[in-house]
Amino acid sequence: MTEQLRLAVVGAGAMGRDHIRYIQDDPGSTLAAIADPTDEAHALADSLGVPWFADCEDMAGAGGLDGVVIASPNHLHLANARAAIAHGIPALVEKPISDDLDDARAFAAEARSSGVPVLVGQHRRHNPKARRAKEIIDSGALGTIVAVSVHYGIYKPDGYFDIPWRRQKGAGPILVNMVHDVDMLRFLFGEPTEIQGMAANRARGFEVEDTAVVNVRFANGTLGSITLSDAAASPWNWESTARENPFFAPFDTDAYYIMGTKGSLSMPQLKLFTHDGGVSDWTKPFVCEIQGVREGLPHRLQLKHFLEVIRGEANPLVTPEDAIKSLEVLNAIKRAADEGEMIRL
């Protein structure tokens, strides 16, 4: 049996506690420490029988770790990641790696120079349904992809915003939530070249946006749109439809609609629509086939991948350089929304 790898978690908020559970449940890993300055985190570490540290630097310096999962507030991601790689500890860094593009680029260069592997937590890349959708698209079964429509409508309860950083710059749904959709679109269709966008904070009036709409042109000619709001009582979002996290009540519908000249595909239900007889013609009825996959929770699959990365058995599926490309798109979306102009990448 492979020896368990000793993993620490930085940040014991909601996401950090999820990571702690995944680590405890995986036979290939064991929880070795928690770093978080709060009294609640200290109490959690005591209850779990693991060492507690106020910050990542002290924890990394204490040694004895094979890897670290960084789930701290967004603005602390890079400082904690730098502390890890400075001590030669592979890191899984939650998205976004930063809201500062220049700093993210500097970190990517530092990580590459250090030779310490860094995996960015774009967990949807590990979803079997996303990987199956990629296979279908690349097979040509949909023909030429002409358009894709993405929906993220969800209502975050008022208590979610009791934590101050969630109301401040860098914590709006564009960076916190849309980053997943941007990464998925890049994974499925390649790199965007043009961006249009609008954003509003009408629902809550915070410093950050609560709603945004985006138009995208990809290098391959596909056009896309994203409609996003964390103030919308709606089932049309990945969390409700993909069943990735039991925290979210499931609903049987879709969030992505991919349209091609030979057929169309919805996600995450993976409904493949083609015209009867295989020839596209608006007078012909559609045939719908559900594309089956072996289910698996993406965060758990991501952790297994991270363990493989630590052991040198795999390269990170999402590197800092890859994550920066998504960050560049997100920054373009923010600029397009702020300036009301087409942004060319």
Side-chain angles (χ1 to χ4, degrees):
M1 181 176 178
T2 303
E3 183 179 355
Q4 287 185 318
L5 295 179
R6 294 171 51 83
L7 303 184
V9 173
V10 180
M15 191 70 251
R17 289 172 186 250
D18 282 345
H19 281 293
I20 288 170
R21 187 173 70 253
Y22 303 140
I23 291 168
Q24 291 176 314
D25 291 345
D26 194 296
S29 62
T30 185
L31 182 68
I34 294 174
D36 184 314
T38 65
D39 292 338
E40 292 82 0
H42 197 167
L44 176 63
D46 288 344
S47 71
L48 296 175
V50 299
W52 170 84
F53 296 87
D55 60 59
C56 185
E57 175 62 41
D58 288 345
M59 183 180 71
L65 298 178
D66 298 305
V68 61
V69 178
I70 296 170
S72 55
N74 293 354
H75 67 282
L76 299 176
H77 283 179
L78 286 193
N80 290 323
R82 284 187 166 103
I85 66 173
H87 291 274
I89 304 172
L92 192 171
V93 186
E94 271 295 345
K95 54 73 196 167
I97 57 171
S98 176
D99 58 2
D100 184 321
L101 192 53
D102 289 337
D103 199 24
R105 288 171 177 150
F107 170 74
E110 293 162 15
R112 185 170 57 252
S113 176
S114 74
V116 179
V118 175
L119 172 67
V120 180
Q122 294 289 357
H123 67 275
R124 291 184 191 172
R125 294 264 195 118
H126 301 268
N127 191 313
K129 293 181 177 180
R131 302 178 77 82
R132 177 59 182 145
K134 175 68 170 172
E135 291 173 358
I136 293 169
I137 291 167
D138 290 348
S139 75
L142 303 183
T144 299
I145 307 298
V146 294
V148 55
S149 178
V150 173
H151 301 268
Y152 180 88
I154 202 167
Y155 196 93
K156 294 176 181 174
D158 295 341
Y160 175 90
F161 298 96
D162 290 343
I163 301 173
W165 70 268
R166 290 176 172 171
R167 305 191 298 268
Q168 298 167 359
K169 181 182 177 182
I174 288 179
L175 281 178
V176 173
N177 303 114
M178 192 186 287
V179 60
H180 285 299
D181 296 310
V182 167
D183 182 75
M184 182 61 69
L185 291 176
R186 290 183 49 248
F187 174 62
L188 295 175
F189 307 111
E191 301 303 330
T193 58
E194 294 178 326
I195 302 286
Q196 293 174 315
M198 293 187 291
N201 61 352
R202 178 187 178 195
R204 294 196 175 94
F206 293 151
E207 179 182 332
V208 296
E209 76 285 346
D210 53 55
T211 305
V213 292
V214 180
N215 292 325
V216 183
R217 186 189 303 275
F218 294 88
N220 64 7
T222 299
L223 299 181
S225 67
I226 307 173
T227 301
L228 168 142
S229 178
D230 66 4
S234 151
W236 302 306
N237 58 78
W238 190 266
E239 278 80 356
S240 296
T241 60
R243 289 173 167 78
E244 289 183 345
N245 189 331
F247 178 79
F248 295 95
F251 197 87
D252 290 328
T253 187
D254 280 300
Y256 285 47
Y257 301 89
I258 302 163
M259 292 162 269
T261 55
K262 292 182 179 179
S264 293
L265 180 70
S266 67
M267 292 174 63
Q269 293 197 36
L270 293 180
K271 292 181 178 178
L272 176 60
F273 297 89
T274 55
H275 279 289
D276 192 13
V279 178
S280 298
D281 184 336
W282 68 354
T283 66
K284 293 185 176 182
F286 275 102
V287 175
C288 177
E289 298 176 319
I290 307 297
Q291 303 297 298
V293 296
R294 177 174 292 179
E295 298 284 354
L297 288 177
H299 278 104
R300 297 187 188 280
L301 296 173
Q302 178 180 256
L303 175 59
K304 289 185 181 299
H305 175 64
F306 183 45
L307 298 179
E308 292 171 350
V309 168
I310 294 173
R311 295 189 178 105
E313 299 167 356
N315 294 319
L317 181 62
V318 184
T319 63
E321 288 85 355
D322 195 358
I324 285 169
K325 292 180 181 178
S326 291
L327 190 59
E328 289 171 342
V329 175
L330 290 169
N331 280 11
I333 289 170
K334 292 286 285 184
R335 284 179 54 206
D338 293 341
E339 300 171 11
E341 297 180 359
M342 172 85 76
I343 304 298
R344 291 177 172 79
L345 296 170

